[in-house]
Amino acid sequence: MQSLPRILAIETSCDETAASIIEGNLDAPFTVLSNVVASQAALHAEYGGVFPDLAAREHTRRIIPVIALALKEAGLIKRPTQAGSQIYRALKTLDAIAVTVGPGLIGPLLIGATTGSQLAAIMGKPTIPVNHWEGHIYSTFLQPAQTLPRFPLLILTVSGGHTSLVLMREHFDYEILGKTVDDAAGEAFDKTARLLELRYPGGPEIAQAAARARENGANLKIVLPRPMLASKDFNFSFSGLKTAVRYALNRGDIVLPRDTDAAAAAIEDAILDVLIAKTCRAAQEHRPTSVALVGGVAANYELRRRLGDGLVKLSTPLFLPELEYTTDNAAMIGAAGLVRYFETPRRYLSKPLVADASMRLT
Ligand code: KG4
Ligand code: ZN
């Protein structure tokens, strides 16, 4: 029996250095043989956000060890410190290299693209450029066969860099129904967390504090705004929420640390209300066969739960990626890369990878 195509995927667009070995074809679910993520979040925490030069330096330091570890976890070499000749032989067994080429921070992107191009040249294998946002979308295809989403698929992408509602009719056929006009949802979590003196990344910190508030019945006396909740389009706006939290702190409506948990719950409720209302309305209007939630904010437990509840009323199934595929990882880049590998004529695949910090989805 012919073995399934197998590729190496690399992700370095922001502050995670990630590599994955993934195999499959279009008729069967993909198998993730390894998924290694070296997060730099702790390093950036003291700056309150990602510091691009530091991120680039760390990617340079980590990328080869991360790829070697991905080969080891896939069973292709015995030890991640094995000699170059072993690593070379393992890489030669692969069919292609998929790499995130944008959007993202240009320094970090260049390190992934250069490493991917060089390895592909040495191995004599094709390269597959992958859009990071598309990678998040394809995280929803890393599911067992019986639970793969079907087209037309409505996707809510919520990460640190994106917030959008996308209607996907076929592979790579996207219509952007709406997107944020200012901050992304993840950015809103990160920036409001900073105002509450919580650590970066703010999303998980807010979620934890919010859960505590709900358990203890802690509430704010004020209601935070739900920007664009009532607007007829599918666009989002989150920068007003950050301003409202800043004013509430200045006025003394939020006093830290007394109100940290209650404020976190109010922030989470405000962001989730808008995301869920717009997604349900888009589902009502466009009648997709499936709905998916992807991106770093898709790790949020309350969002997963409440969006699922909202869609039950519309009888539209919601597809949730496994938690390890929500925040940045290379398996999702591999999933998008594998589909591109099958759908793209070979002659387009062997070009050098060119990083594009402001790459678009459509
Ligand atoms: O997809 P991702 O890893 O990177 C980008 O492509 O931006 O998303 C990172 C974002 C951060 O803003 C982080 O605060 C948010 O995802 N995030 C969360 C949670 N986990 C990560 N937001 C809310 N709740 C969470 N549990
Ligand atoms: Zn991302």
Side-chain angles (χ1 to χ4, degrees), residues 132 136 159 328 332:
H132 180 79
H136 276 299
S159 69
D328 288 351
M332 68 183 195

Side-chain angles (χ1 to χ4, degrees), residues 268-329:
E268 189 176 57
D269 285 344
I271 296 174
L272 267 46
D273 276 358
V274 182
L275 292 175
I276 292 164
K278 295 239 167 178
T279 307
C280 289
R281 201 156 52 69
Q284 229 162 355
E285 204 165 294
H286 291 275
R287 295 275 158 213
T289 311
S290 324
V291 177
L293 170 66
V294 303
V297 182
N300 186 282
Y301 170 76
E302 283 296 317
L303 177 56
R304 293 167 85 93
R305 188 179 67 77
R306 294 183 200 177
L307 183 57
D309 289 350
L311 288 165
V312 163
K313 292 175 207 136
L314 302 174
S315 307
T316 316
L318 173 65
F319 290 81
L320 297 166
E322 304 269 343
L323 282 184
E324 67 173 314
Y325 303 135
T326 54
T327 47
D328 288 351
N329 66 89

Side-chain angles (χ1 to χ4, degrees), residues 4-337:
L4 291 170
R6 184 184 281 184
I7 64 172
L8 163 69
I10 299 173
E11 155 64 39
T12 60
S13 67
C14 192
D15 61 344
E16 328 281 357
T17 316
S20 168
I21 308 289
I22 176 168
E23 68 174 23
N25 62 30
L26 288 185
D27 306 321
F30 299 151
T31 306
V32 178
L33 301 175
S34 64
N35 184 34
V36 176
V37 181
S39 176
Q40 306 170 10
L43 279 180
H44 296 282
E46 66 179 286
Y47 301 96
V50 179
F51 183 25
D53 288 0
L54 176 63
R57 199 180 69 199
E58 286 303 309
H59 285 305
T60 310
R61 226 164 53 77
R62 296 175 186 205
I63 189 150
I64 296 297
V66 163
I67 291 172
L69 191 55
L71 291 172
K72 191 234 157 207
E73 292 195 351
L76 300 179
I77 55 174
K78 287 211 174 69
R79 290 184 306 279
T81 50
Q82 210 139 24
S85 59
Q86 303 289 319
I87 292 180
Y88 175 77
R89 263 201 290 277
L91 287 170
K92 278 293 266 185
T93 65
L94 304 176
D95 294 285
I97 301 189
V99 183
T100 306
V101 290
L105 300 170
I106 191 65
L109 284 169
L110 279 167
I111 289 150
T114 309
T115 308
S117 294
Q118 287 176 346
L119 289 178
I122 295 166
M123 290 151 55
K125 295 294 161 76
T127 50
I128 312 166
V130 175
N131 180 306
H132 180 79
W133 189 359
E134 192 165 71
H136 276 299
I137 289 174
Y138 273 85
S139 68
T140 196
F141 290 88
L142 292 172
Q143 314 255 3
Q146 63 278 20
T147 55
L148 278 178
R150 290 191 298 129
F151 300 122
L153 171 64
L154 174 71
I155 307 150
L156 173 63
T157 56
V158 271
S159 69
H162 295 284
T163 295
S164 58
L165 275 165
V166 177
L167 192 62
M168 187 176 181
R169 292 196 179 82
E170 265 308 322
H171 284 302
F172 310 127
D173 174 355
Y174 309 107
E175 182 188 345
I176 298 177
L177 303 178
K179 58 183 177 182
T180 181
V181 297
D182 43 50
D183 294 350
E187 207 177 342
F189 273 110
D190 293 339
K191 288 180 173 169
T192 51
R194 203 172 171 179
L195 292 173
L196 298 186
E197 296 168 10
L198 297 172
R199 283 170 65 83
Y200 170 84
E205 294 281 318
I206 296 242
Q208 262 181 29
R212 265 195 313 267
R214 288 186 197 106
E215 217 175 282
N216 302 332
N219 279 312
L220 278 190
K221 289 199 185 68
I222 53 162
V223 176
L224 294 174
R226 270 98 172 120
M228 299 184 76
L229 181 68
S231 73
K232 294 244 163 352
D233 56 26
F234 296 113
N235 289 333
F236 303 90
S237 164
F238 291 107
S239 72
L241 179 64
K242 174 186 67 194
T243 313
V245 172
R246 186 179 295 124
Y247 285 166
L249 282 160
N250 291 345
R251 276 197 313 264
D253 288 337
I254 299 175
V255 177
L256 303 179
R258 186 196 68 193
D259 298 327
T260 307
D261 292 357
I267 290 165
E268 189 176 57
D269 285 344
I271 296 174
L272 267 46
D273 276 358
V274 182
L275 292 175
I276 292 164
K278 295 239 167 178
T279 307
C280 289
R281 201 156 52 69
Q284 229 162 355
E285 204 165 294
H286 291 275
R287 295 275 158 213
T289 311
S290 324
V291 177
L293 170 66
V294 303
V297 182
N300 186 282
Y301 170 76
E302 283 296 317
L303 177 56
R304 293 167 85 93
R305 188 179 67 77
R306 294 183 200 177
L307 183 57
D309 289 350
L311 288 165
V312 163
K313 292 175 207 136
L314 302 174
S315 307
T316 316
L318 173 65
F319 290 81
L320 297 166
E322 304 269 343
L323 282 184
E324 67 173 314
Y325 303 135
T326 54
T327 47
D328 288 351
N329 66 89
M332 68 183 195
I333 303 303

